[in-house]
Amino acid sequence: MTSQALENLEAQLETFIENIRQIKIIVGDFQPQGQNVLNQKIQTVVSGLQEIDKLKSQVQDVHVPLEVFDYIDSGRNPQLYTKDCMEKAMNKNETVRGKIDAYRRFRAHLMVELTSVFPAEMAKYRAIRGDERPMS
Amino acid sequence: MSEQFRKVEQYSPKSSPRGSRSPVVPRQDSTGTLKATISLGKNPSIVHTGPFYLIKEPPTESDLTGATNLMAHYGLEHSYNKSSGRKVRDTLSSFLPNLPGQIDSPGHLDNSSLRSVIDKPPIGGKELLPLSSMQLSGFRLHPGALPEQYRLMNQVPQKKKHKHKKHKHKPGDTPSHQESTTTSDVASSAEKKHKKQKRHDDDKERKKRKKEKKKKKQKHSPEHPSGSSHMDM
């Protein structure tokens, strides 16, 4: 449903832009006999805006991240935003995985060292925690 | 001596309201606090109410952590491979090739940025109505071409792909004619008429120039009777 609505909106916007482009050509080198055509085109602009306004209710659920607008404003491809997002997510995932790994190794190492220094206390600690996790 | 004892008595547990027990201090988080009760008096003792000093409850373990491959978990591996595999061009025009005009330039230069629409939303909510004849009369234009300062705004940068094609540009030609037109009949007929008129005008100018050149040649030639004065004998 949303994809169909987006396609309709895209088609309507393309038609609108094409109409504006035709007005630009007519106005670029205006001839008196083109006045009626220009008036028709202006009315088409208004009807195009009405059609686009009608379509807005169908795409209200579509959310666009604001960062995409920054890409578009700087003339960049918005697909790069998706690509950058996924790469950032991958990198962050790997960073956090590395941290979790480091903490696990530190905990295991600490348990080994503490057991060697405080065996009785560590035995109590493990009994309290019900720790079934391996030390290494 | 008695004063010293009085001072000691001021701080002794006997003078405290809770007797020999340690004072009650309100604490918000009791997880890291001293889980022991210290009692003084005849038989001072420390009663442990918790196993170890500062022992806390371990955090609840969750199934999904950063240690798992989140791309695989959310089924995004295919999307990631697709987006990272294919070459994505940097320009906006590669994403929207059918849009006319210069879209790769930054939006803040010509005040056409999307950010400005968000920061300063346009006044809306009014009904869109077709224009009346009185309102359309405001769009009556003078015939003729646009001034040069406005023509530059319409120029589209030529794409590098069309190197093998040789476009013969006339000096008075506007770049709008270069764009491929899939327009309606009225606009295309207006264009065709315009082109025909221009060709007609250009032909006329060429003929005029040729005639002028011929006249000049004939004036300076020795065979022409109305030539230069030194020919008369």
Side-chain angles (χ1 to χ4, degrees), chain B residues 159-173:
Chain B
K159 290 179 184 176
K160 290 178 183 176
K161 287 180 185 176
H162 300 289
K163 273 182 184 175
H164 61 281
K165 289 185 183 176
K166 289 182 183 177
H167 294 281
K168 290 182 182 177
H169 299 292
K170 293 174 186 176
D173 220 352

Side-chain angles (χ1 to χ4, degrees), chain B:
Chain B
M1 244 343 235
S2 60
E3 288 178 1
Q4 286 177 357
F5 279 116
R6 276 182 205 160
K7 280 179 187 175
V8 169
E9 280 180 4
Q10 280 175 5
Y11 299 113
S12 71
K14 289 178 186 175
S15 61
S16 70
R18 293 188 79 237
S20 60
R21 288 174 296 172
S22 53
V24 174
V25 177
R27 291 187 182 92
Q28 289 175 357
D29 180 19
S30 64
T31 54
T33 54
L34 182 63
K35 289 190 187 331
T37 306
I38 302 169
S39 61
L40 300 174
K42 285 183 182 176
N43 298 319
S45 62
I46 296 170
V47 178
H48 291 280
T49 55
F52 283 100
Y53 181 65
L54 288 178
I55 192 165
K56 290 182 184 181
E57 293 298 320
T60 51
E61 284 192 34
S62 60
D63 294 331
L64 189 63
T65 62
T68 54
N69 185 351
L70 295 171
M71 285 284 181
H73 178 80
Y74 287 106
L76 292 171
E77 271 182 329
H78 179 69
S79 304
Y80 176 71
N81 292 332
K82 206 176 168 185
S83 66
S84 61
R86 64 177 177 188
K87 288 179 186 177
V88 179
R89 289 191 186 174
D90 197 40
T91 57
L92 185 58
S93 55
S94 59
F95 181 67
L96 298 167
N98 297 326
L99 279 193
Q102 289 182 349
I103 59 173
D104 293 336
S105 56
H108 66 272
L109 292 177
D110 54 359
N111 202 23
S112 65
S113 64
L114 292 167
R115 183 59 72 171
S116 62
V117 175
I118 296 162
D119 295 335
K120 256 187 180 183
I123 299 166
K126 293 182 182 177
E127 202 181 345
L128 294 162
L129 297 168
L131 299 176
S132 62
S133 54
M134 286 291 289
Q135 288 167 328
L136 278 172
S137 63
F139 289 98
R140 280 188 203 146
L141 304 179
H142 293 289
L146 275 177
E148 285 205 15
Q149 59 187 9
Y150 299 113
R151 272 192 218 175
L152 287 170
M153 285 163 63
N154 294 338
Q155 277 181 4
V156 175
Q158 290 186 8
K159 290 179 184 176
K160 290 178 183 176
K161 287 180 185 176
H162 300 289
K163 273 182 184 175
H164 61 281
K165 289 185 183 176
K166 289 182 183 177
H167 294 281
K168 290 182 182 177
H169 299 292
K170 293 174 186 176
D173 220 352
T174 57
S176 60
H177 295 293
Q178 296 170 13
E179 295 170 7
S180 60
T181 57
T182 54
T183 62
S184 64
D185 296 334
V186 180
S188 57
S189 64
E191 275 185 56
K192 283 177 186 173
K193 282 181 187 175
H194 175 72
K195 280 181 184 175
K196 279 182 185 173
Q197 278 183 354
K198 275 205 167 178
R199 279 177 200 165
H200 186 65
D201 293 338
D202 290 336
D203 288 337
K204 275 186 180 176
E205 282 180 21
R206 279 177 203 165
K207 284 178 184 174
K208 278 182 185 176
R209 282 176 203 164
K210 279 181 183 175
K211 281 181 183 175
E212 284 171 6
K213 279 181 185 176
K214 275 184 182 176
K215 280 181 184 176
K216 281 182 185 176
K217 279 182 182 176
Q218 283 170 1
K219 275 182 184 177
H220 293 290
S221 67
E223 294 173 0
H224 197 72
S226 61
S228 54
S229 58
H230 69 270
M231 289 299 293
D232 294 328
M233 299 291 286

Side-chain angles (χ1 to χ4, degrees), chain A residues 40-54:
Chain A
Q40 280 176 22
K41 293 287 175 191
I42 291 168
Q43 297 288 24
T44 312
V45 165
V46 177
S47 62
L49 287 169
Q50 285 173 332
E51 291 299 317
I52 291 166
D53 193 50
K54 282 176 196 171

Side-chain angles (χ1 to χ4, degrees), chain A residues 43 45 72 81 94:
Chain A
Q43 297 288 24
V45 165
I72 294 169
Y81 170 77
E94 284 178 18

